[in-house]
Amino acid sequence: MTVIASTPVRTPGVESCASAPTPHPRPDGQDRYTISEVSAWTGLTAHTLRWYERIGLMPHVDRSHTGQRRFTNRDLSWLTFVGKLRLTGMPVAAMVRYAELVRAGEHTFDERHELLEETRRDVRSRIAELQDTLAVLDHKIDFYAGARRAPERPDQT
């Protein structure tokens, strides 16, 4: 999945997620994107975008007079954040819960904070596991690089 960077948009009830802001393709007020444009921008399929909306992971997406979805820069920012949550390994149910808490308002800050803290602990644990794995790989790579220069060692794996 491609994750996009975005400019934070301050909207009550919707959290900003961009850590390295880059401008959206269109300015606010002219920011109406079709599902195919959002799919191209985010790398998510139209099916995934519809599914996100259906399960409550996406806030309400406006519709045109013909019923076509019209996404905004705020929606792109939210999708960026959801993409980051996906990369953390957060289960979809937890992401939906987080989205529900965001929509519920400011009184849910503590619960949102704890959900994100738990996710951060999980990510740090996975990073530590990956660093250990990398150390093993580095050791093996060094061994094989040295084995090319040294005589055969039958007892090494």
Side-chain angles (χ1 to χ4, degrees):
M1 175 187 103
T2 303
V3 179
I4 56 174
S6 59
T7 302
V9 177
R10 294 280 177 208
T11 304
V14 176
E15 294 188 347
S16 174
C17 61
S19 58
T22 58
H24 289 295
R26 298 182 188 133
D28 288 337
Q30 300 170 7
D31 61 337
R32 297 291 180 252
Y33 305 94
T34 65
I35 199 165
S36 61
E37 289 173 317
V38 173
S39 180
W41 182 258
T42 63
L44 298 169
T45 66
H47 173 78
T48 298
L49 292 168
R50 288 185 203 101
W51 181 65
Y52 280 4
E53 187 178 8
R54 190 169 47 252
I55 66 172
L57 190 52
M58 277 292 299
H60 171 75
V61 177
D62 289 333
R63 304 282 178 134
S64 70
H65 69 283
T66 60
Q68 291 181 317
R69 287 170 180 81
R70 292 292 182 222
F71 295 85
T72 64
N73 287 336
R74 188 180 97 205
D75 296 324
L76 294 180
S77 293
W78 178 255
L79 287 169
T80 299
F81 182 65
V82 168
K84 298 293 185 187
L85 292 179
R86 285 183 65 210
L87 290 173
T88 71
M90 180 186 272
V92 172
M95 288 190 284
V96 170
R97 176 68 183 142
Y98 185 87
E100 290 168 350
L101 292 170
V102 169
R103 286 191 294 273
E106 290 184 13
H107 70 279
T108 66
F109 275 8
D110 289 341
E111 196 172 346
R112 285 186 259 170
H113 180 259
E114 181 51 36
L115 219 166
L116 294 176
E117 287 280 351
E118 181 181 330
T119 301
R120 181 169 58 185
R121 285 189 296 272
D122 291 344
V123 168
R124 286 186 170 159
S125 175
R126 286 193 7 247
I127 289 170
E129 289 172 7
L130 287 171
Q131 286 173 331
D132 288 344
T133 302
L134 183 60
V136 170
L137 288 172
D138 288 343
H139 174 75
K140 286 296 186 183
I141 289 168
D142 290 345
F143 168 77
Y144 288 116
R148 279 188 246 149
R149 293 185 297 268
E152 191 76 24
R153 296 179 203 162
D155 293 342
Q156 299 294 327
T157 56

